Amino acid sequence: SHFVPAAEAVQEDYDLAMVVDTSVVHRLGEVAQCLERIPRRILLDHHQGEPTPFFEYCWIDSSAAAVVLQAAEIIDALGGPWDESIANSLWTGLVTDTGSFQQSNTDERALAWAARFVHEGAKPFDMATLLFESRRLGYLHLLGRALANLAVEADGKVVWSSLSREDFASSGALEEDVEGIITVLRAVGGAEIVVLLRESQRDGASPYVKATFRSKGDTDVEKIARSLGGGGHRMAAGAEIYSDLASARARVRQAIGV
């Protein structure tokens, strides 16, 4: 009937946990150790992948544009409840995972549920204002750094950018300000693969680089990400590379073949 952080849940008598949006256990970090103490674990995911013994039940549906569609179908099968808060949350997940309904995963199922979310109380204008017109100033400065670092290779088919710790510091940006930048980079005409690399901002942690990939053509970027230890979808994927930025860039170039 209510949700608590995993670190708190292990102190309570919970017998069921649900993980959403990733089947890669190591990406859960310390949370995975907390969840190991809960006897029953369920996975809900829409990324390409295989069930693992960590989960007792798995529902992996790579045809779903967003994991919120699976969640909505579960809510509907249970008979609700529906309210404005739930509808707004599910709407937000769908809008962000379809790139505001601009990506190739925007299918009839996604649009039918979008209409249903509005019917159940979602407010598209209010959510759009919160998502896209309430950004921190640091995001705009960081976007400027990403555009300044833009590079094009392979006769314009590969578009690159990278963000270092120094770029974050000079922009006054936070790590979450990266959200949406790769969508801007996709605007380059003729690009087939778009790559954004960013150094982790975690103080004291082992250095690693987050690589985000987008495909605008026939290239399966999930295969590229998987070769680097990551995963995702054919058109959108990512990986974490435990090295400095220069070494990560070299590994990604090799994986892409440029």
Side-chain angles (χ1 to χ4, degrees):
S1 61
H2 67 287
F3 297 88
V4 298
E8 296 179 19
V10 297
Q11 301 174 14
E12 303 288 344
D13 190 23
Y14 288 93
D15 60 3
L16 176 66
M18 178 178 288
V19 172
V20 297
D21 225 22
T22 182
S23 61
V24 183
V25 176
H26 76 78
R27 294 192 64 185
L28 300 176
E30 296 179 357
V31 172
Q33 298 178 0
C34 297
L35 296 181
E36 285 179 347
R37 305 181 191 181
I38 298 177
R40 307 183 70 183
R41 296 179 291 273
I42 294 175
L43 170 68
L44 202 65
D45 191 23
H46 72 128
H47 296 92
Q48 299 176 36
E50 298 294 332
T52 69
F54 186 81
F55 302 102
E56 183 176 4
Y57 298 105
C58 298
W59 181 17
I60 299 176
D61 182 3
S62 60
S63 69
V67 74
V68 297
L69 299 187
Q70 297 167 265
E73 289 167 359
I74 291 175
I75 293 172
D76 217 31
L78 294 174
W82 287 95
D83 59 28
E84 182 178 323
S85 176
I86 292 173
N88 274 330
S89 297
L90 296 175
W91 169 270
T92 299
L94 183 57
V95 167
T96 53
D97 254 14
T98 59
S100 299
F101 305 107
Q102 298 178 60
Q103 296 175 1
S104 62
N105 59 353
T106 305
D107 56 12
E108 182 180 2
R109 179 183 178 188
L111 293 174
W113 272 110
R116 174 67 182 278
F117 297 155
V118 173
H119 173 76
E120 298 293 352
K123 301 293 189 291
F125 177 78
D126 293 345
M127 293 300 100
T129 300
L130 289 172
L131 285 169
F132 308 118
E133 298 178 2
S134 303
R135 303 301 298 263
R136 298 177 63 258
L137 187 60
Y139 160 77
L140 294 175
H141 288 312
L142 191 66
L143 174 60
R145 296 303 309 158
L147 294 175
N149 296 336
L150 188 69
V152 179
E153 295 185 351
D155 297 324
K157 295 180 180 179
V158 179
V159 173
W160 288 83
S161 189
S162 59
L163 293 167
S164 66
R165 284 179 175 267
E166 290 73 21
D167 288 322
F168 279 89
S170 64
S171 302
L174 304 175
E175 196 155 11
E176 54 262 34
D177 290 322
V178 173
E179 187 69 34
I181 288 180
I182 197 165
T183 302
V184 179
L185 303 182
R186 282 172 50 89
V188 177
E192 296 183 4
I193 302 174
V194 182
V195 184
L196 177 63
L197 305 178
R198 71 177 188 270
E199 283 188 306
S200 169
Q201 303 304 296
R202 298 178 188 173
D203 293 332
S206 299
Y208 78 87
V209 173
K210 172 68 176 180
T212 303
F213 303 93
R214 294 291 184 270
S215 173
K216 293 177 62 180
D218 296 329
T219 303
D220 185 346
V221 293
E222 193 275 337
K223 290 183 178 179
I224 296 173
R226 192 171 357 117
S227 73
L228 296 165
H233 307 283
R234 189 180 72 82
M235 303 292 288
E240 293 179 352
I241 304 171
Y242 288 83
S243 69
D244 58 28
L245 189 57
S247 298
R249 188 182 294 112
R251 288 186 59 187
V252 171
R253 294 184 81 254
Q254 183 179 25
I256 294 175
V258 295

